[in-house]
Coordinates of all heavy atoms in Angstrom, one line a residue:
T219 N -14.9 25.8 13.2 CA -14.7 24.5 12.7 C -13.4 23.9 13.2 O -12.4 24.6 13.3 CB -14.6 24.6 11.1 OG1 -15.8 25.2 10.6 CG2 -14.4 23.2 10.5
V220 N -13.4 22.7 13.5 CA -12.3 22.0 14.0 C -12.1 20.8 13.1 O -13.0 20.0 12.8 CB -12.5 21.4 15.5 CG1 -11.3 20.6 16.0 CG2 -12.7 22.6 16.5
I221 N -10.9 20.6 12.7 CA -10.5 19.6 11.8 C -9.5 18.7 12.6 O -8.5 19.2 13.0 CB -9.9 20.0 10.5 CG1 -10.8 20.9 9.6 CG2 -9.3 18.8 9.6 CD1 -10.2 21.5 8.5
L222 N -9.8 17.4 12.8 CA -8.9 16.5 13.4 C -8.5 15.4 12.4 O -9.3 15.0 11.6 CB -9.7 15.8 14.6 CG -10.2 16.7 15.8 CD1 -11.0 15.8 16.7 CD2 -9.1 17.4 16.5
Y223 N -7.2 15.0 12.5 CA -6.8 14.0 11.6 C -5.7 13.2 12.4 O -5.1 13.6 13.2 CB -6.3 14.4 10.3 CG -4.9 15.1 10.3 CD1 -3.8 14.4 9.8 CD2 -4.7 16.4 10.9 CE1 -2.6 15.0 9.9 CE2 -3.5 16.9 10.9 CZ -2.4 16.3 10.3 OH -1.1 16.9 10.4
D224 N -5.5 11.8 11.9 CA -4.5 11.0 12.5 C -3.3 11.0 11.4 O -3.6 11.0 10.2 CB -5.0 9.6 12.6 CG -5.9 9.5 13.9 OD1 -5.6 10.2 14.8 OD2 -6.7 8.6 14.0
L225 N -2.1 10.9 11.9 CA -1.0 10.8 11.0 C -1.1 9.4 10.4 O -1.6 8.5 10.9 CB 0.3 10.8 11.8 CG 0.6 12.2 12.5 CD1 1.9 12.2 13.3 CD2 0.6 13.3 11.5
V226 N -0.6 9.3 9.2 CA -0.7 8.0 8.4 C 0.0 6.8 9.2 O -0.3 5.7 8.9 CB -0.2 8.1 7.0 CG1 1.4 8.3 7.1 CG2 -0.6 7.1 6.1
C227 N 0.8 7.1 10.1 CA 1.5 6.1 10.9 C 0.8 5.7 12.2 O 1.2 4.9 13.0 CB 2.9 6.5 11.3 SG 3.0 8.1 12.2
A228 N -0.4 6.3 12.5 CA -1.1 6.1 13.7 C -1.8 4.8 13.6 O -2.1 4.2 12.5 CB -2.2 7.2 13.8
G229 N -2.0 4.1 14.8 CA -2.6 2.9 14.8 C -4.0 2.8 14.3 O -4.5 1.7 13.9
S230 N -4.7 3.9 14.3 CA -6.1 4.0 13.8 C -6.3 4.0 12.3 O -7.3 3.9 11.8 CB -6.8 5.2 14.4 OG -6.2 6.4 14.0
V231 N -5.1 4.1 11.6 CA -5.1 4.4 10.2 C -4.8 3.0 9.6 O -3.9 2.2 10.0 CB -4.1 5.4 9.7 CG1 -4.1 5.6 8.2 CG2 -4.5 6.7 10.3
N232 N -5.5 2.7 8.4 CA -5.1 1.4 7.6 C -3.7 1.4 7.3 O -3.2 2.3 6.6 CB -6.0 1.5 6.4 CG -5.8 0.2 5.5 OD1 -4.9 -0.5 5.6 ND2 -6.9 -0.1 4.7
P233 N -2.9 0.4 7.7 CA -1.5 0.3 7.5 C -1.1 0.2 6.0 O 0.0 0.6 5.7 CB -1.1 -1.0 8.2 CG -2.3 -1.7 8.5 CD -3.4 -0.8 8.5
D234 N -2.1 0.0 5.1 CA -1.8 -0.1 3.7 C -1.5 1.4 3.2 O -0.9 1.5 2.1 CB -3.0 -0.7 3.0 CG -3.2 -2.2 3.3 OD1 -2.2 -2.9 3.7 OD2 -4.3 -2.6 3.1
Y235 N -1.9 2.4 3.8 CA -1.6 3.7 3.4 C -0.3 4.2 3.8 O 0.2 5.2 3.3 CB -2.6 4.7 4.0 CG -4.0 4.4 3.6 CD1 -5.1 4.3 4.5 CD2 -4.4 4.5 2.2 CE1 -6.4 4.0 4.1 CE2 -5.7 4.2 1.8 CZ -6.7 4.1 2.7 OH -7.9 3.9 2.3
F236 N 0.4 3.5 4.7 CA 1.8 4.0 5.1 C 2.9 3.4 4.0 O 2.9 2.2 3.8 CB 2.1 3.4 6.5 CG 3.4 3.9 7.0 CD1 3.5 5.2 7.4 CD2 4.5 3.2 7.1 CE1 4.7 5.8 8.0 CE2 5.8 3.7 7.5 CZ 5.8 5.0 8.0
D237 N 3.6 4.3 3.5 CA 4.7 4.0 2.6 C 5.9 4.2 3.3 O 6.4 5.4 3.6 CB 4.6 4.9 1.3 CG 5.6 4.7 0.3 OD1 6.6 4.0 0.6 OD2 5.4 5.1 -0.8
F238 N 6.7 3.2 3.6 CA 8.0 3.3 4.4 C 9.0 4.1 3.7 O 9.9 4.8 4.3 CB 8.6 1.9 4.7 CG 7.8 1.1 5.8 CD1 6.9 0.2 5.5 CD2 8.2 1.5 7.2 CE1 6.2 -0.4 6.5 CE2 7.4 0.8 8.2 CZ 6.5 -0.1 7.8
H239 N 9.0 4.1 2.3 CA 10.0 4.9 1.5 C 9.6 6.4 1.5 O 10.5 7.2 1.5 CB 10.1 4.4 0.2 CG 10.6 3.0 0.2 ND1 11.8 2.6 0.5 CD2 9.9 1.8 -0.2 CE1 12.0 1.3 0.4 NE2 10.9 0.7 0.0
R240 N 8.3 6.7 1.5 CA 7.8 8.0 1.4 C 8.1 8.8 2.8 O 8.5 9.9 2.8 CB 6.4 8.2 1.0 CG 5.9 9.6 1.0 CD 4.6 9.7 0.3 NE 4.2 11.1 0.2 CZ 3.4 11.8 0.8 NH1 2.6 11.2 1.7 NH2 3.1 13.0 0.6
Y241 N 7.7 8.2 3.9 CA 7.7 8.8 5.2 C 9.0 8.6 6.0 O 9.1 8.1 7.1 CB 6.5 8.3 6.0 CG 5.2 8.8 5.4 CD1 4.4 7.9 4.6 CD2 4.8 10.1 5.7 CE1 3.3 8.4 4.0 CE2 3.5 10.5 5.1 CZ 2.8 9.6 4.3 OH 1.6 10.1 3.7
T242 N 10.1 9.0 5.3 CA 11.4 8.9 6.0 C 11.8 10.2 6.7 O 12.8 10.3 7.4 CB 12.5 8.4 5.0 OG1 12.6 9.4 3.9 CG2 12.3 7.0 4.5
T243 N 11.2 11.3 6.3 CA 11.4 12.6 6.9 C 10.0 13.2 7.3 O 9.0 12.5 7.0 CB 12.1 13.6 6.0 OG1 11.1 14.0 4.9 CG2 13.4 13.0 5.4
L244 N 10.0 14.3 7.9 CA 8.7 14.9 8.2 C 8.2 15.7 7.1 O 6.9 16.0 7.2 CB 8.9 16.0 9.4 CG 9.3 15.4 10.7 CD1 9.5 16.5 11.7 CD2 8.3 14.3 11.2
E245 N 8.8 15.9 6.0 CA 8.2 16.7 4.9 C 6.9 16.0 4.3 O 6.0 16.7 4.0 CB 9.3 16.9 3.8 CG 10.4 17.8 4.3 CD 9.9 19.1 4.8 OE1 9.1 19.8 4.2 OE2 10.5 19.7 5.8
P246 N 6.9 14.7 4.1 CA 5.6 14.1 3.6 C 4.4 14.3 4.5 O 3.3 14.5 4.1 CB 5.9 12.6 3.4 CG 7.4 12.6 3.3 CD 8.0 13.7 4.2
Y247 N 4.7 14.3 5.8 CA 3.6 14.6 6.9 C 3.2 16.0 6.7 O 2.0 16.3 6.9 CB 4.1 14.4 8.2 CG 4.4 12.9 8.5 CD1 5.8 12.4 8.5 CD2 3.5 11.9 8.9 CE1 6.0 11.1 8.8 CE2 3.7 10.7 9.1 CZ 5.1 10.2 9.0 OH 5.4 8.9 9.3
V248 N 4.1 17.0 6.4 CA 3.8 18.4 6.2 C 2.9 18.5 4.9 O 1.9 19.2 4.9 CB 5.0 19.2 6.0 CG1 4.7 20.7 5.5 CG2 5.8 19.3 7.4
D249 N 3.3 17.8 3.8 CA 2.5 17.7 2.7 C 1.1 17.2 2.9 O 0.1 17.8 2.5 CB 3.1 16.8 1.6 CG 4.4 17.2 1.0 OD1 4.7 18.4 1.2 OD2 5.2 16.4 0.6
D250 N 1.0 16.2 3.7 CA -0.4 15.6 4.1 C -1.2 16.7 4.8 O -2.4 16.9 4.5 CB -0.2 14.4 5.0 CG 0.3 13.2 4.3 OD1 0.5 13.2 3.1 OD2 0.6 12.2 5.0
L251 N -0.6 17.4 5.8 CA -1.3 18.4 6.5 C -1.8 19.5 5.6 O -2.9 19.9 5.6 CB -0.4 19.0 7.6 CG -0.9 20.3 8.3 CD1 -2.3 20.0 9.0 CD2 0.1 20.8 9.3
L252 N -0.9 20.0 4.7 CA -1.3 21.1 3.8 C -2.4 20.7 2.9 O -3.2 21.3 2.5 CB -0.1 21.7 3.1 CG 1.0 22.4 4.1 CD1 2.2 22.7 3.3 CD2 0.4 23.5 4.7
N253 N -2.2 19.4 2.4 CA -3.2 18.8 1.5 C -4.6 18.7 2.2 O -5.6 19.1 1.5 CB -2.8 17.5 0.9 CG -1.7 17.6 -0.1 OD1 -1.5 18.6 -0.7 ND2 -0.9 16.5 -0.2
I254 N -4.7 18.3 3.4 CA -5.9 18.3 4.2 C -6.5 19.7 4.3 O -7.8 19.9 4.1 CB -5.7 17.6 5.6 CG1 -5.4 16.2 5.4 CG2 -6.9 17.9 6.5 CD1 -4.9 15.5 6.6
L255 N -5.7 20.7 4.7 CA -6.2 22.0 4.8 C -6.7 22.6 3.5 O -7.7 23.2 3.5 CB -5.1 22.9 5.4 CG -4.7 22.6 6.9 CD1 -3.6 23.4 7.3 CD2 -5.9 22.7 7.8
D256 N -6.0 22.4 2.4 CA -6.4 22.7 1.1 C -7.8 22.0 0.7 O -8.6 22.7 0.1 CB -5.3 22.5 0.1 CG -4.1 23.4 0.2 OD1 -4.2 24.5 0.9 OD2 -3.0 23.1 -0.4
A257 N -7.8 20.8 1.0 CA -9.1 20.1 0.6 C -10.3 20.6 1.3 O -11.4 20.6 0.8 CB -8.9 18.6 0.9
H258 N -10.1 21.1 2.5 CA -11.2 21.7 3.3 C -11.3 23.2 3.0 O -12.1 23.9 3.7 CB -11.0 21.4 4.8 CG -11.2 20.0 5.2 ND1 -12.5 19.5 5.5 CD2 -10.4 18.9 5.4 CE1 -12.5 18.3 5.7 NE2 -11.2 17.9 5.7
R259 N -10.5 23.7 2.1 CA -10.6 25.1 1.7 C -10.3 26.1 2.9 O -10.9 27.1 3.1 CB -11.9 25.5 1.1 CG -12.0 24.8 -0.3 CD -13.3 25.2 -1.0 NE -13.3 24.6 -2.3 CZ -14.3 23.8 -2.6 NH1 -15.2 23.5 -1.8 NH2 -14.3 23.2 -3.8
V260 N -9.4 25.7 3.7 CA -8.9 26.5 4.9 C -7.9 27.5 4.3 O -7.0 27.2 3.7 CB -8.3 25.6 6.1 CG1 -7.7 26.5 7.1 CG2 -9.3 24.7 6.5
D261 N -8.2 28.8 4.6 CA -7.3 29.8 4.2 C -6.6 30.5 5.3 O -5.6 31.2 5.1 CB -8.0 31.0 3.3 CG -9.1 31.6 4.1 OD1 -9.4 31.3 5.2 OD2 -9.9 32.4 3.4
R262 N -7.0 30.2 6.6 CA -6.3 30.7 7.8 C -6.7 29.8 9.0 O -7.8 29.5 9.1 CB -6.7 32.2 8.0 CG -5.8 32.8 9.0 CD -5.0 34.0 8.3 NE -4.3 34.8 9.3 CZ -3.1 34.7 9.5 NH1 -2.4 33.9 8.9 NH2 -2.4 35.5 10.4
C263 N -5.8 29.4 9.8 CA -6.2 28.6 10.9 C -5.2 28.8 12.1 O -4.1 29.3 12.0 CB -6.3 27.1 10.5 SG -4.6 26.4 10.2
A264 N -5.7 28.4 13.3 CA -4.9 28.1 14.5 C -4.6 26.8 14.4 O -5.5 25.9 14.3 CB -5.6 28.7 15.7
Y265 N -3.3 26.4 14.7 CA -2.9 25.0 14.6 C -2.5 24.5 16.0 O -1.8 25.2 16.7 CB -1.7 24.8 13.7 CG -1.2 23.4 13.5 CD1 -1.8 22.5 12.7 CD2 -0.2 23.0 14.4 CE1 -1.3 21.2 12.7 CE2 0.3 21.6 14.3 CZ -0.3 20.7 13.4 OH 0.1 19.5 13.4
V266 N -3.0 23.4 16.5 CA -2.6 22.8 17.7 C -1.9 21.4 17.4 O -2.6 20.6 16.8 CB -3.8 22.6 18.7 CG1 -3.3 21.9 20.0 CG2 -4.5 23.9 18.9
G267 N -0.7 21.2 17.9 CA 0.1 20.0 17.6 C 0.7 19.6 18.9 O 1.4 20.4 19.7
H268 N 0.8 18.3 19.1 CA 1.6 17.6 20.2 C 2.7 16.8 19.7 O 2.5 16.0 18.7 CB 0.6 16.8 21.1 CG 1.3 16.1 22.2 ND1 1.5 14.8 22.1 CD2 1.9 16.5 23.4 CE1 2.2 14.4 23.1 NE2 2.4 15.4 23.9
S269 N 3.8 16.9 20.2 CA 5.0 16.0 20.0 C 5.4 16.2 18.5 O 5.6 17.3 18.0 CB 4.7 14.6 20.3 OG 5.8 13.8 20.2
V270 N 5.5 15.2 17.7 CA 5.9 15.2 16.3 C 4.8 16.1 15.5 O 5.3 16.8 14.6 CB 6.2 13.8 15.7 CG1 4.9 13.1 15.5 CG2 6.9 13.9 14.5
S271 N 3.6 16.1 15.9 CA 2.6 16.8 15.2 C 2.9 18.3 15.4 O 2.6 19.1 14.5 CB 1.2 16.5 15.6 OG 0.8 15.1 15.3
A272 N 3.5 18.7 16.5 CA 3.8 20.1 16.7 C 4.9 20.5 15.7 O 4.9 21.5 15.2 CB 4.3 20.3 18.1
M273 N 5.9 19.6 15.5 CA 7.0 19.9 14.5 C 6.4 19.9 13.2 O 6.9 20.8 12.3 CB 8.1 18.8 14.7 CG 8.9 18.9 16.0 SD 9.5 20.6 16.3 CE 10.6 20.8 14.9
I274 N 5.5 19.1 12.8 CA 4.9 19.0 11.5 C 4.1 20.5 11.3 O 4.2 21.0 10.2 CB 3.9 17.9 11.3 CG1 4.7 16.5 11.3 CG2 3.0 18.0 10.1 CD1 3.9 15.3 11.5
G275 N 3.4 20.9 12.2 CA 2.8 22.2 12.1 C 3.8 23.3 12.0 O 3.5 24.3 11.2
L276 N 4.9 23.2 12.8 CA 5.9 24.3 12.7 C 6.5 24.3 11.2 O 6.6 25.4 10.6 CB 7.0 24.1 13.7 CG 8.1 25.1 13.7 CD1 7.6 26.5 14.1 CD2 9.1 24.6 14.8
L277 N 6.8 23.2 10.7 CA 7.4 23.1 9.4 C 6.4 23.6 8.3 O 6.7 24.2 7.3 CB 7.9 21.7 9.0 CG 9.0 21.2 9.9 CD1 9.2 19.7 9.6 CD2 10.3 22.0 9.6
A278 N 5.1 23.2 8.5 CA 4.1 23.7 7.5 C 3.9 25.1 7.6 O 3.8 25.8 6.6 CB 2.7 23.1 7.9
S279 N 4.1 25.8 8.8 CA 4.0 27.2 8.9 C 5.2 28.0 8.3 O 5.0 29.1 7.8 CB 3.8 27.6 10.3 OG 5.0 27.5 11.1
L280 N 6.3 27.3 8.3 CA 7.5 27.9 7.6 C 7.2 27.8 6.1 O 7.7 28.8 5.4 CB 8.7 27.1 7.9 CG 9.3 27.3 9.3 CD1 10.4 26.3 9.6 CD2 9.7 28.7 9.6
R281 N 6.7 26.8 5.5 CA 6.4 26.7 4.1 C 5.3 27.6 3.7 O 5.3 28.2 2.6 CB 6.1 25.3 3.8 CG 6.2 25.0 2.3 CD 5.7 23.7 1.8 NE 6.5 22.6 2.5 CZ 6.1 21.3 2.3 NH1 5.1 21.0 1.5 NH2 6.8 20.3 2.9
R282 N 4.2 27.8 4.5 CA 3.1 28.6 4.1 C 2.6 29.5 5.3 O 1.6 29.2 5.9 CB 1.9 27.7 3.6 CG 2.3 27.0 2.3 CD 1.3 26.6 1.5 NE -0.1 27.0 1.5 CZ -1.1 26.2 1.3 NH1 -1.0 24.9 1.1 NH2 -2.4 26.8 1.4
P283 N 3.4 30.5 5.7 CA 3.1 31.3 6.9 C 1.8 31.9 6.8 O 1.2 32.2 7.9 CB 4.3 32.2 7.0 CG 4.9 32.2 5.6 CD 4.6 30.9 5.0
E284 N 1.3 32.3 5.6 CA 0.1 33.1 5.6 C -1.2 32.2 5.9 O -2.3 32.7 6.3 CB -0.2 33.6 4.1 CG -0.5 32.5 3.1 CD 0.7 31.5 2.7 OE1 1.8 31.9 3.0 OE2 0.4 30.6 2.0
L285 N -1.0 30.8 6.1 CA -2.1 30.0 6.3 C -2.3 29.9 7.9 O -3.4 29.5 8.4 CB -1.7 28.6 5.8 CG -2.7 27.4 5.9 CD1 -4.0 27.8 5.3 CD2 -2.2 26.2 5.2
F286 N -1.4 30.2 8.8 CA -1.4 30.0 10.1 C -1.5 31.3 10.9 O -0.5 32.1 10.8 CB -0.2 29.1 10.7 CG -0.2 27.8 10.0 CD1 0.5 27.6 8.8 CD2 -0.9 26.7 10.5 CE1 0.5 26.3 8.2 CE2 -0.9 25.5 9.9 CZ -0.1 25.3 8.7
S287 N -2.5 31.5 11.7 CA -2.7 32.7 12.5 C -2.0 32.5 13.8 O -1.6 33.4 14.5 CB -4.2 33.1 12.7 OG -4.8 32.0 13.3
K288 N -1.9 31.2 14.3 CA -1.4 30.9 15.6 C -1.0 29.4 15.6 O -1.6 28.6 15.0 CB -2.6 31.0 16.6 CG -2.2 30.9 18.0 CD -3.4 31.2 18.9 CE -4.0 32.6 18.7 NZ -5.0 33.0 19.6
L289 N 0.1 29.2 16.3 CA 0.7 27.9 16.6 C 0.7 27.5 18.0 O 1.2 28.4 18.8 CB 2.1 27.7 16.0 CG 2.3 27.8 14.5 CD1 3.8 27.8 14.2 CD2 1.6 26.7 13.7
I290 N 0.1 26.6 18.4 CA 0.0 26.0 19.8 C 0.8 24.7 19.8 O 0.2 23.7 19.3 CB -1.4 25.9 20.3 CG1 -2.2 27.3 20.2 CG2 -1.4 25.4 21.8 CD1 -3.6 27.2 20.5
L291 N 2.0 24.7 20.2 CA 3.0 23.6 20.1 C 3.2 23.0 21.5 O 3.8 23.7 22.3 CB 4.2 24.0 19.5 CG 4.0 24.8 18.1 CD1 5.4 25.2 17.6 CD2 3.3 23.9 17.0
I292 N 2.8 21.8 21.7 CA 2.8 21.1 22.9 C 3.9 20.0 23.0 O 3.7 19.1 22.2 CB 1.5 20.6 23.5 CG1 0.4 21.6 23.4 CG2 1.6 19.8 24.8 CD1 -1.0 21.1 23.4
G293 N 5.0 20.1 23.6 CA 6.0 19.1 23.7 C 6.7 18.9 22.3 O 7.1 17.7 22.0
A294 N 6.9 19.9 21.5 CA 7.6 19.9 20.2 C 9.1 19.6 20.5 O 9.6 20.3 21.4 CB 7.3 21.2 19.4
S295 N 9.6 18.7 19.8 CA 11.0 18.4 19.9 C 11.8 18.8 18.6 O 11.6 18.3 17.6 CB 11.3 17.0 20.1 OG 12.7 16.6 20.1
P296 N 12.8 19.8 18.7 CA 13.6 20.2 17.6 C 14.6 19.0 17.2 O 15.3 19.2 16.2 CB 14.3 21.4 18.0 CG 14.5 21.3 19.5 CD 13.2 20.5 19.9
R297 N 14.6 18.0 17.9 CA 15.7 16.9 17.7 C 15.0 15.7 17.1 O 15.5 14.6 17.3 CB 16.4 16.6 18.9 CG 17.1 17.8 19.4 CD 18.1 17.4 20.4 NE 19.0 16.4 19.8 CZ 20.2 16.1 20.3 NH1 20.6 16.6 21.3 NH2 20.9 15.2 19.7
S298 N 13.9 15.8 16.4 CA 13.2 14.7 15.8 C 14.2 13.9 15.0 O 14.8 14.5 14.1 CB 12.0 15.1 15.0 OG 11.4 14.0 14.3
P299 N 14.4 12.6 15.1 CA 15.3 11.8 14.3 C 15.0 11.8 12.8 O 15.8 11.6 12.0 CB 15.4 10.5 14.9 CG 14.0 10.3 15.6 CD 13.7 11.8 16.1
I300 N 13.7 12.1 12.4 CA 13.4 12.0 11.0 C 13.2 13.4 10.4 O 12.7 13.6 9.4 CB 12.1 11.1 10.7 CG1 10.9 11.7 11.5 CG2 12.5 9.6 11.1 CD1 9.7 11.0 11.2
S301 N 13.6 14.4 11.2 CA 13.4 15.8 10.6 C 14.6 16.2 10.0 O 15.7 16.1 10.4 CB 13.0 16.8 11.8 OG 13.0 18.1 11.4
K302 N 14.4 16.8 8.8 CA 15.5 17.3 8.1 C 15.3 18.9 7.9 O 15.4 19.4 6.9 CB 15.6 16.7 6.6 CG 16.2 15.3 6.7 CD 16.5 14.8 5.3 CE 17.1 13.4 5.5 NZ 17.4 12.8 4.2
S303 N 14.8 19.4 9.0 CA 14.5 20.9 9.0 C 15.7 21.7 9.6 O 16.6 21.0 10.2 CB 13.3 21.0 9.8 OG 13.6 21.0 11.2
P304 N 15.6 22.9 9.5 CA 16.6 23.8 10.2 C 16.6 23.6 11.7 O 17.5 24.1 12.3 CB 16.2 25.2 9.8 CG 15.0 25.1 9.0 CD 14.6 23.7 8.7
F305 N 15.6 23.0 12.2 CA 15.5 22.9 13.6 C 16.1 21.5 14.1 O 15.9 21.2 15.3 CB 14.0 23.0 14.1 CG 13.4 24.3 13.7 CD1 12.6 24.4 12.6 CD2 13.7 25.5 14.3 CE1 12.1 25.7 12.1 CE2 13.3 26.7 14.0 CZ 12.4 26.8 12.9
N306 N 16.6 20.7 13.2 CA 17.2 19.4 13.6 C 18.5 19.7 14.2 O 19.6 19.4 13.5 CB 17.1 18.5 12.5 CG 17.5 17.1 12.9 OD1 17.5 16.8 14.0 ND2 17.8 16.2 12.0
F307 N 18.7 20.2 15.4 CA 20.0 20.4 16.0 C 20.6 19.1 16.5 O 20.0 18.3 17.0 CB 19.8 21.4 17.3 CG 19.2 22.7 16.9 CD1 18.0 23.0 17.4 CD2 19.7 23.5 16.0 CE1 17.3 24.1 17.1 CE2 19.1 24.7 15.7 CZ 17.9 25.0 16.2
Q308 N 21.9 18.9 16.2 CA 22.6 17.7 16.6 C 23.5 18.0 17.7 O 24.1 19.0 17.9 CB 23.4 17.2 15.5 CG 22.5 16.8 14.3 CD 21.5 15.6 14.5 OE1 21.8 14.7 15.4 NE2 20.4 15.6 14.0

């Protein structure tokens, strides 16, 4: 099974769903990812993420490591300006 989703800030998503106050860090995006996986009753998965989605997957795996069997991170940047993670090196 493959689950694809767009971040709430993507152009393909209804802009009414984007809350400028909520999405000031990557943590709400992590919440969204985990909620999607929970809604689909995923108990273990391999995650593929590119750019900011790679960082979202990494943060999700830190929060719930038992959920992820593998992370495939393409172009992940530890310097995301909206990340308040331990990987936000200045």
Side-chain angles (χ1 to χ4, degrees):
T219 301
V220 176
I221 300 170
L222 301 174
Y223 76 101
D224 284 330
L225 298 177
V226 72
C227 60
S230 60
V231 177
N232 182 335
D234 294 337
Y235 294 127
F236 186 77
D237 179 345
F238 284 99
H239 298 291
R240 180 171 187 251
Y241 292 98
T242 57
T243 70
L244 292 180
E245 294 305 318
Y247 294 98
V248 172
D249 294 338
D250 291 348
L251 169 60
L252 295 174
N253 288 334
I254 289 167
L255 294 174
D256 289 344
H258 286 279
R259 296 187 174 115
V260 173
D261 58 4
R262 194 115 170 103
C263 69
Y265 179 85
V266 179
H268 173 255
S269 189
V270 72
S271 293
M273 290 308 299
I274 292 166
L276 181 61
L277 293 171
S279 74
L280 289 172
R281 194 183 304 171
R282 296 205 12 220
E284 73 286 351
L285 185 57
F286 299 90
S287 63
K288 188 178 297 187
L289 296 175
I290 301 166
L291 309 174
I292 304 162
S295 172
R297 297 194 60 161
S298 173
I300 61 172
S301 175
K302 290 188 178 178
S303 75
F305 301 101
N306 189 13
F307 304 115
Q308 297 295 328

